[in-house]
Amino acid sequence: MSDTSTEKRTKTITKPEKPRLHKVILVNDDFTPREFVVTVLKKVFGLSEDEAYARMMTAHTQGVCTIAVYTREVAETKAEDAIEAGQRAGFPLMVTTEPEE
């Protein structure tokens, strides 16, 4: 008898999962000036003047608006940056994150 095995070997290749995305959500308040919100959206999220104004108005009329979608770490960092900008200016700007479905 031979010591050689004739069994087939299978190789399992695992693909890394894509990171779960998170939405950054602007919450309307009655105290933060609209112009300030637009400035923060442009500076922190890189939106154009028109995009920033449209998202600010959506939050103003509907209560909330998705600003952008990023990986969790980026979404949380950008939300924190926006909140800190509001705090430095003395405004209660509220931005939150949640997993995208």
Side-chain angles (χ1 to χ4, degrees):
M1 281 231 239
S2 172
D3 289 332
T4 307
S5 175
T6 58
E7 293 180 26
K8 290 186 177 184
R9 294 184 186 160
T10 58
K11 189 174 190 178
T12 304
I13 300 173
T14 58
K15 293 182 182 180
E17 289 186 26
K18 290 184 179 181
R20 190 167 182 194
L21 297 177
H22 283 64
K23 298 185 283 190
V24 181
I25 300 169
L26 173 64
V27 181
N28 184 53
D29 67 70
D30 293 331
F31 304 101
T32 308
R34 294 178 185 186
E35 299 80 23
F36 180 77
V37 175
V38 170
T39 300
V40 170
L41 293 177
K42 287 168 46 180
K43 188 174 185 179
V44 175
F45 297 94
L47 300 179
S48 70
E49 180 81 24
D50 291 340
E51 291 171 325
Y53 183 81
R55 285 184 174 80
M56 177 276 300
M57 285 306 295
T58 300
H60 180 69
T61 58
Q62 297 181 6
V64 295
C65 177
T66 298
I67 301 169
V69 179
Y70 302 103
T71 58
R72 184 182 56 119
E73 293 80 14
V74 173
E76 289 174 354
T77 300
K78 288 194 177 280
E80 289 170 10
D81 291 348
I83 292 168
E84 288 172 7
Q87 290 173 343
R88 283 192 303 272
F91 299 120
L93 181 65
M94 183 60 172
V95 179
T96 186
T97 64
E98 69 180 40
E100 186 177 50
E101 296 176 6

